[in-house]
Amino acid sequence: MLQLTSAGGTCPVETSPGFFGAIHPFLPMSYVVEGLRRLITGGGLAPVRQGGAVLLGFTLGGLALPPWPPGGADEGPPPGTEPVSARTVDTGRIAPMDSSHTRRDATRRKLFEAAVTLIAEQGFSSTTVDEIAERAGVAKGTVYYNFASKNVLFEELLRHGIELLATSLQTAAEKVADGGGTRVDALDAMIRAGLDFIARYPALTQLYVAELWRTNRAWQSTLMVVRERAITVVEDVLREAVAGGELSEEIDIPLTASALFGMVLVAALDWQSYQPDRSIDDVHAALSRLLQGRVSGRPA
């Protein structure tokens, strides 16, 4: 009973009375729940490894104890009379699909949207879990059920957002390639896809750019990983363009990819903040001329 009430499976232990929080680290079920939660929601596997080590310790400790009562354990049922579990019976039916995964994804999206808006408005330190829960329209416990802490929520937010951006860039490049376009045309399509993404998620973009300049955050390593994910998509197209003779071999591919990525980010934010009367077509046309004239060496 103590394990059920203090493991944090039904509701986060942070919302339980202090007694259950005090015994939480000393019960094996706590590590099972935390490990399963991390495997389901994603993120680093450190809690899974820690939980596995702790459970292994409990197992070895249990095996080291002498049998009780002395003289051996119950021999169990006679051979051939093994009970059949209801869960092992094959009924020949396919179990209906559980919609819990879909609901979980929807909840996480709501939490992402609430968190990115609040953090962009008032900063990470000033944003509380209670505010995120209220903005998302969920209970505070729901936040902790999906994310172990506010830091973990923010890290997953960065991963989720930049993965969406990288996917949109890659999709734009592949669409041009399927249509027989050049690699430079693919880069131009990626610029447009980046502008479309930023126009759709302005708060996320502002947050990402702001965090790039901070080096004292717990998620700095995560930020570098997600940045590399987006830059690599641009680098791949640049390499193909050089290999196909569309671009000069003298181009510094990593630096050029970073320059193109940064150009889109800064130009889009400037457009939205200081020149909102301009259309996205105007901004794209200006950046396209820079690409065609400075990178490819040919007029637009």
Side-chain angles (χ1 to χ4, degrees):
M1 182 61 71
L2 286 176
Q3 295 209 63
L4 289 175
T5 53
S6 62
T10 304
C11 60
V13 72
E14 290 84 356
T15 62
S16 300
F19 169 75
F20 298 114
I23 65 174
H24 174 77
F26 304 103
L27 300 175
M29 187 176 291
S30 301
Y31 299 92
V32 174
V33 170
E34 182 59 30
L36 288 175
R37 179 175 293 137
R38 183 54 61 94
L39 289 174
I40 292 171
T41 61
L45 296 179
V48 179
R49 298 190 186 96
Q50 180 188 19
V54 172
L55 293 174
L56 178 61
F58 275 110
T59 302
L60 294 177
L63 293 175
L65 294 174
W68 185 262
D74 185 13
E75 295 181 357
T81 61
E82 181 180 1
V84 179
S85 170
R87 288 187 296 178
T88 63
V89 176
D90 185 4
T91 63
R93 298 179 181 177
I94 299 176
M97 183 177 294
D98 186 5
S99 60
S100 61
H101 185 70
T102 302
R103 291 196 302 270
R104 186 180 302 111
D105 287 345
T107 300
R108 287 167 67 88
R109 281 196 299 270
K110 290 189 339 187
L111 291 172
F112 282 148
E113 292 171 2
V116 71
T117 303
L118 286 168
I119 295 173
E121 289 175 355
Q122 56 195 40
F124 176 81
S125 300
S126 300
T127 301
T128 66
V129 173
D130 296 87
E131 290 174 322
I132 293 173
E134 182 180 359
R135 179 69 65 92
V138 300
K140 179 180 178 180
T142 302
V143 181
Y144 284 116
Y145 182 81
N146 285 274
F147 306 99
S149 66
K150 189 173 71 170
N151 279 0
V152 173
L153 168 59
F154 189 72
E155 285 191 59
E156 292 303 313
L157 172 64
L158 289 174
R159 290 181 185 275
H160 175 72
I162 301 305
E163 182 62 32
L164 287 177
L165 173 58
T167 300
S168 66
L169 297 179
Q170 191 166 12
T171 300
E174 291 173 351
K175 186 175 181 179
V176 170
D178 292 341
T182 66
R183 294 291 84 191
V184 174
D185 292 334
L187 290 171
D188 186 56
M190 293 169 81
I191 289 176
R192 179 56 185 249
L195 292 173
D196 287 335
F197 179 88
I198 294 169
R200 184 177 180 184
Y201 304 104
L204 175 64
T205 308
Q206 293 170 11
L207 194 58
Y208 172 75
V209 172
E211 291 300 320
L212 278 177
W213 304 106
R214 295 189 173 97
T215 58
N216 60 341
R217 299 296 203 189
W219 51 80
Q220 188 64 28
S221 59
T222 298
L223 192 62
M224 299 303 296
V225 170
V226 297
R227 172 193 173 277
E228 187 65 23
R229 167 74 176 98
I231 296 294
T232 298
V233 176
V234 184
E235 287 181 356
D236 290 343
V237 177
L238 286 171
R239 286 193 180 90
E240 292 173 2
V242 171
E246 295 182 44
L247 300 179
S248 170
E249 295 182 355
E250 298 179 356
I251 285 181
D252 186 320
I253 291 178
L255 191 57
T256 302
S258 297
L260 289 173
F261 187 69
M263 175 183 73
V264 174
L265 286 178
V266 175
L269 290 177
D270 183 86
W271 157 48
Q272 293 191 332
S273 299
Y274 302 109
Q275 306 180 66
D277 54 314
R278 290 183 176 273
S279 69
I280 191 171
D281 293 329
D282 290 340
V283 181
H284 177 218
L287 298 184
S288 181
R289 292 189 187 96
L290 286 174
L291 169 70
Q292 301 290 352
R294 302 303 181 187
V295 177
S296 68
R298 57 188 174 92

